[in-house]
Amino acid sequence: MGASLILSTEVCAACNAAFSPLDQDLVEHVEIFTRGRVTKLLGLGLQDDPTTGVRLSARLGLHGEERGLSVSPPQVFQLPDGSWQFRGGSTDVLATMIEEIGRPVAKVHETVDVSSDGLPVALAVVRTGPGAYVVRGAKAAEVRALAARLRAEGMRPTHLGAPAQWTPPERVQPISRGVEIPVGRISRAAAKVALNYVCSTLGAESALRTEFDPLRRFARDGEGAFLDFVSLALLDQYQREAVNVFAHPSRHALVLAEVHDGAQYQTGVQIVVFGQPFAVVRMGSAPYPMLPPRTWRVTYFDHEKKTFEHLRIPDDGPRCFVNIDSVVPGASALLSAAV
C-alpha cells in the first residue's frame, strides 16, 4: 500500500507463507472499507436462472459492450437431475474449456456459497482466465471433492449435446454477492504489523520480549480471541475521532506508545492507513518500560512517494500532530506542506 519500511532481518519461509493469506485479507479490507473501492464486490456473484432451476455465477459487465449488463462467465454446472450443462460465449470457448479441464488443472480455487432463500446454488466449474478455474457450490464436501478431482485428473464430458442459443428471461434477475469480513484473520494481520514495527524500529530483541508471546501466538497460529489483542476501527467508532487531528489521506501512520497504570507498562500500536484508523493492537504489559518514560514512537508513510519518516514524542510533537485539514476545514496539503 505504498509503504517502504522493511525488517532488518529476514522472515522465515514458513511464516512468510502463513501470513500471505492474512495480508491479502487485510489489503482487501482496506480497499473496500477504508478506500471505498468496491470494484472487487462486482466480481463473481450469483444470479437465479429460472430456465435451469439453479443459481449460476454471473458478474456485472464493466467495459465495452458488456458495460452495465449481466455477464455469464464460461462454466459447466450441475442441474438438479444430476446432468451437467455448459454456458458461455461460444462453442470455441466450450472447446477451449474441455481441453483445459480434460487434464489436471493447477489453478483451481474453491468457493462455498452460503445457502439462501430461492433457487439452490449449482455445483459449478467456472473459468476465470486461461487455465484458471473456480469450483463453487453450496456444499463444502462437494466443492472440495470436485476441486481435488480437477487438480488430480481433470474431468471430461461423456456426451456432448448440440449447442443451442441461450435466450435470456424477460426479467433480469439481480446479481447477489456475499461479503465476508474475516475479522479474526484481519486482526492477526494487524498483530503481525505491530510486531514487525517493533522489530524494525527497536530491534528483534525488543520484539521477542516474553510479554509479547501471547500476541505472537495469536498472529502466527490464531491462538486466543482477537478481541483480547486487537480493536478494529470497523468495530470501534471512537478510533476515528482519535486520529482526526493528525491523520491525512496522503499518509499512513504507525504509533507505538506505552501507558503506565501504576504497576505495569501497557504497550500498544495504532495503525492508520490512508488517513483512516485501521486498528489498535494491544501488545502486552510488563513491569518495566520498553520506551523512555513519557515518549512515543511515530512513523509516517507518504504512500505516493513511497517514503517514511520516524518521529518521536515529545521531541517532534508539532510535526506529529499537526494536520492542516483539521485546523482549516477544506484546506488541502500533504504532510510536508502541513509541517
Side-chain angles (χ1 to χ4, degrees), residues 26-308:
L26 182 150
V27 171
E28 291 182 1
H29 172 88
V30 169
E31 288 292 290
I32 294 172
F33 294 100
T34 301
R35 308 195 73 185
R37 296 185 173 183
V38 298
T39 302
K40 182 175 177 57
L41 299 180
L42 302 179
L44 283 182
L46 289 168
Q47 189 175 42
D48 285 354
D49 183 47
T51 60
T52 59
V54 293
R55 305 188 78 196
L56 298 175
S57 293
R59 61 178 175 82
L60 180 66
L62 298 177
H63 307 287
E65 295 180 353
E66 296 180 348
R67 185 178 180 87
L69 300 177
S70 172
V71 178
S72 177
Q75 57 191 297
V76 292
F77 55 93
Q78 192 173 42
L79 297 172
D81 64 6
S83 62
W84 290 76
Q85 192 175 105
F86 168 80
R87 180 165 296 171
S90 66
T91 53
D92 291 339
V93 176
L94 172 60
T96 299
M97 190 168 173
I98 289 176
E99 180 183 355
E100 288 180 344
I101 66 176
R103 55 181 181 269
V105 182
K107 299 178 182 178
V108 180
H109 296 279
E110 302 173 19
T111 298
V112 178
D113 297 286
V114 178
S115 298
S116 59
D117 295 335
L119 300 179
V121 177
L123 179 63
V125 179
V126 185
R127 189 175 190 262
T128 58
Y133 289 85
V134 170
V135 177
R136 70 185 308 175
K139 298 180 180 179
E142 291 182 346
V143 170
R144 286 195 299 266
L146 182 54
R149 177 184 172 187
L150 280 176
R151 297 185 185 106
E153 60 184 80
M155 58 185 294
R156 284 185 174 275
T158 57
H159 170 72
L160 283 177
Q165 180 71 31
W166 177 68
T167 302
E170 295 181 1
R171 178 180 179 274
V172 178
Q173 300 290 332
I175 299 174
S176 61
R177 190 179 190 280
V179 179
E180 178 184 359
I181 306 175
V183 291
R185 293 165 60 87
I186 295 170
S187 297
R188 289 173 60 192
K192 185 206 73 168
V193 170
L195 288 164
N196 282 355
Y197 182 49
V198 172
C199 183
S200 182
T201 56
L202 301 180
E205 297 78 11
S206 295
L208 290 173
R209 285 164 50 139
T210 56
E211 62 266 28
F212 299 157
D213 286 350
L215 183 69
R216 250 192 309 276
R217 290 193 294 268
F218 168 71
R220 178 62 175 82
D221 303 313
E223 208 176 285
F226 78 90
L227 288 173
D228 294 337
F229 303 101
V230 180
S231 295
L232 291 173
L234 180 69
L235 308 175
D236 181 5
Q237 62 179 345
Y238 299 106
Q239 287 189 43
R240 187 173 303 276
E241 300 171 3
V243 303
N244 282 342
V245 293
F246 69 90
H248 190 277
S250 69
R251 67 194 186 199
H252 312 313
L254 291 171
V255 182
L256 173 64
E258 284 183 325
V259 177
H260 189 216
D261 62 7
Q264 298 281 317
Y265 290 87
Q266 308 280 344
T267 304
V269 171
Q270 184 173 35
I271 304 170
V272 178
V273 290
F274 298 104
Q276 298 293 323
F278 179 77
V280 172
V281 181
R282 296 178 293 279
M283 301 190 67
S285 60
Y288 48 89
M290 182 170 62
L291 299 174
R294 296 178 296 280
T295 65
W296 291 11
R297 291 292 185 95
V298 179
T299 300
Y300 284 137
F301 304 85
D302 186 318
H303 53 79
E304 293 183 353
K305 298 178 180 178
K306 293 183 171 56
T307 58
F308 65 88

